[in-house]
Amino acid sequence: MAGARRKPAVDATRNPSLTRGVIVSAALELMDRQGVDGFSMRKLAGRLDVSPQALYWHFNGKDDLCEAVVELVRSDVRIEIDESLSVADRIRSHMRGLRSHLSRHPCAIELGRRFLPSTAGEVSDLGVSLICDLGIADREDALRHYRALVWTVTGFSLMEHGAETSVHHTRVPGTPIYEVRLRPGLGVKPDDDSQPATVVNVDVLFETVVDVFVAGLQAAASRG
Amino acid sequence: MAGARRKPAVDATRNPSLTRGVIVSAALELMDRQGVDGFSMRKLAGRLDVSPQALYWHFNGKDDLCEAVVELVRSDVRIEIDESLSVADRIRSHMRGLRSHLSRHPCAIELGRRFLPSTAGEVSDLGVSLICDLGIADREDALRHYRALVWTVTGFSLMEHGAETSVHHTRVPGTPIYEVRLRPGLGVKPDDDSQPATVVNVDVLFETVVDVFVAGLQAAASRG
DNA sequence: ACCTGAACACCGTTCAAGT
DNA sequence: ACCTGAACACCGTTCAAGT
């Protein structure tokens, strides 16, 4: 609960190789590979060849560490957008960029849910101004609509990532990760093949969301 | 992995009070109160006054039990919609109904992410036909758009629920649960009050999503 | 058929002790 | 200042044994 001892300082006499930075990167790597559920302090310690308790000198606990991981991932959000595109298309690119940034580190999606979906920073400023450019002049309105956009995209990523690690969704063999078999649900036994599984292409689904959302923004803009 | 022994049968000689149904309801109750993370097989067993291993006769494991919980919750989705409303407003109601059903059992949101966001059943059929009525005549298109709707709403609920159990989002005192303080994020220390917290009304945010989404659907419909 | 005792291999975290 | 040994109170799950 309280803040961890700050400033490891220069005189790291014992083990100079074990710093907050080293721990966080190793944690991120482990989480991306094994998933958040598969991650543990003890495994991380083993990976770093230290005792589990050593981590507790640098971090207050697992939550503290997870938070640092989220910040690490978040610190390199960068969405490049082709300036020659129309405003609507730039918003589409923004949404796609947000999604692919989130999928870059799957673990950060799960963690990020618990550690704030922040609407701050230059990426957000850019997003808000894009919405303004579309015709939603009032800044308050633009911010609200941008927040809606962020929540929609982040929520979608959560669903998507959940689907991937799901029990019932099995990847279509031979395809990239973005196709999922949806079972009909509702009392269907896991090994019942009588009901056909529905194949959903998650990319197509996301594009649908993007299209609907942008069209909705345009409508909101033209209403004043 | 394999199927649990089915059919407890009538001759439940030992303890007739311990059935799958009883276990699942108790699990749901416990999860709703303590959250999915706070739930454990051992706690559930304690609550039911049996040994933890007793549960393993009725269920294959924790996952199997969680799945049953999700099905229990899902089995009573019911969204009532005023027939006198316009099609657009009925879609709005549908989205709101979906959201409030999901918030009824917070645990099911988290679990449901891992155990299929199903697009099946009469609720979905109704939703798809609503989209058709709006003017998206092609059934394939309507289904795709409805799926986008479900993912959007479910994703939003996930975000919303995550925000509630979050470390950085603290409820605004004296208000209902639907207001959250959003910290600016990015290197701000948890106890740093120099940067003002942003207050986001989650209900307002959801209404924004609904408005944008429905307007987008209308645009898609009018495009043919 | 239905349940328990005992046990295994894990967790996160703390605390006194080492250097 | 930085780390370890030992320990506490938890997990999910299995397996042999009871009735």
Side-chain angles (χ1 to χ4, degrees):
Chain A
M1 299 302 166
R5 293 63 138 209
R6 304 269 161 191
K7 301 281 169 202
V10 181
D11 49 305
T13 46
R14 283 266 157 224
N15 189 351
S17 68
L18 191 67
T19 64
R20 274 180 78 97
V22 169
I23 297 176
V24 175
S25 335
L28 176 57
E29 197 193 320
L30 230 75
M31 285 181 181
D32 274 343
R33 279 222 315 268
Q34 320 212 14
V36 174
D37 285 350
F39 173 83
S40 79
M41 291 283 149
R42 294 173 118 107
K43 278 183 192 167
L44 177 58
R47 173 98 186 153
L48 292 168
D49 268 320
V50 291
S51 70
Q53 307 93 302
L55 305 173
Y56 284 80
W57 196 89
H58 297 274
F59 293 92
N60 265 332
K62 203 182 181 185
D63 274 6
D64 194 20
L65 176 56
C66 287
E67 197 175 333
V69 169
V70 171
E71 275 193 27
L72 174 63
V73 171
R74 185 170 293 139
S75 65
D76 65 8
V77 207
R78 237 166 296 281
I79 303 177
E80 291 161 37
I81 284 175
D82 187 348
E83 299 286 338
S84 67
L85 293 173
S86 71
V87 177
D89 277 339
R90 268 183 282 170
I91 296 182
R92 278 183 250 267
S93 293
H94 193 90
M95 292 176 81
R96 291 191 200 104
L98 220 55
R99 175 180 174 230
S100 55
H101 173 255
L102 290 171
S103 2
R104 212 134 35 219
H105 292 296
C107 75
I109 305 177
E110 270 190 70
L111 291 180
R113 194 174 72 97
R114 291 189 51 230
F115 295 98
L116 73 143
S118 151
T119 321
E122 45 178 317
V123 171
S124 316
D125 291 345
L126 203 143
V128 175
S129 64
L130 277 176
I131 306 249
C132 283
D133 291 349
L134 198 70
I136 301 181
D138 183 74
R139 236 203 97 84
E140 196 87 8
D141 278 355
L143 185 58
R144 203 183 73 235
H145 280 91
Y146 182 68
R147 279 223 183 86
L149 183 150
V150 171
W151 279 55
T152 302
V153 174
T154 314
F156 189 95
S157 298
L158 263 166
M159 294 289 295
E160 176 176 18
H161 180 248
E164 235 187 283
T165 57
S166 159
V167 180
H168 272 176
H169 300 68
T170 52
R171 273 191 215 158
V172 177
T175 63
I177 58 166
Y178 297 105
E179 293 223 325
V180 224
R181 276 218 175 110
L182 266 190
R183 309 203 125 273
L186 285 171
V188 181
K189 288 169 204 153
D191 34 31
D192 180 6
D193 287 334
S194 66
Q195 298 220 32
T198 317
V199 173
V200 172
N201 185 316
V202 187
D203 283 333
V204 170
L205 202 56
F206 184 71
E207 282 306 311
T208 306
V209 170
V210 168
D211 282 342
V212 169
F213 203 90
V214 171
L217 286 178
Q218 286 173 319
S222 66
R223 270 201 307 266
Chain B
M1 303 302 163
R5 291 63 137 210
R6 304 270 159 190
K7 300 282 169 201
V10 181
D11 48 305
T13 47
R14 282 265 155 223
N15 189 351
S17 68
L18 191 67
T19 65
R20 276 180 75 98
V22 168
I23 296 175
V24 175
S25 336
L28 176 59
E29 197 194 321
L30 229 75
M31 284 182 182
D32 274 343
R33 278 223 315 269
Q34 320 213 14
V36 175
D37 284 351
F39 173 83
S40 79
M41 290 282 147
R42 294 172 117 106
K43 279 183 192 165
L44 177 59
R47 173 98 187 154
L48 292 168
D49 268 318
V50 290
S51 69
Q53 308 91 302
L55 306 172
Y56 284 81
W57 196 90
H58 297 274
F59 293 93
N60 266 333
K62 204 182 183 186
D63 273 5
D64 194 21
L65 176 57
C66 287
E67 197 176 331
V69 170
V70 171
E71 275 193 27
L72 174 63
V73 172
R74 185 170 292 140
S75 65
D76 64 9
V77 208
R78 237 166 296 282
I79 303 177
E80 291 160 37
I81 285 175
D82 188 348
E83 299 286 337
S84 66
L85 294 173
S86 70
V87 178
D89 277 339
R90 268 182 282 170
I91 296 182
R92 279 182 249 268
S93 294
H94 193 88
M95 292 177 81
R96 291 190 198 106
L98 220 55
R99 175 181 175 230
S100 55
H101 173 255
L102 289 172
S103 1
R104 211 130 41 216
H105 294 295
C107 75
I109 305 178
E110 270 191 69
L111 292 180
R113 195 174 71 99
R114 292 189 50 229
F115 295 98
L116 73 141
S118 151
T119 322
E122 45 179 317
V123 172
S124 316
D125 291 344
L126 203 143
V128 175
S129 63
L130 278 176
I131 306 249
C132 282
D133 292 348
L134 197 71
I136 301 181
D138 183 73
R139 235 202 99 83
E140 195 88 7
D141 279 355
L143 186 57
R144 202 183 73 237
H145 280 91
Y146 182 68
R147 279 223 184 87
L149 183 150
V150 171
W151 279 55
T152 301
V153 174
T154 315
F156 188 96
S157 298
L158 263 166
M159 295 288 297
E160 175 176 21
H161 180 248
E164 237 186 283
T165 58
S166 159
V167 179
H168 273 176
H169 300 69
T170 51
R171 273 190 217 159
V172 177
T175 63
I177 59 166
Y178 297 105
E179 294 222 327
V180 226
R181 277 217 174 110
L182 265 191
R183 308 201 125 275
L186 285 172
V188 181
K189 287 168 203 153
D191 33 31
D192 179 7
D193 286 336
S194 65
Q195 297 220 32
T198 317
V199 173
V200 171
N201 185 317
V202 187
D203 283 333
V204 170
L205 202 55
F206 184 71
E207 281 306 312
T208 306
V209 170
V210 168
D211 282 343
V212 169
F213 204 92
V214 171
L217 285 178
Q218 287 173 318
S222 66
R223 270 202 306 265

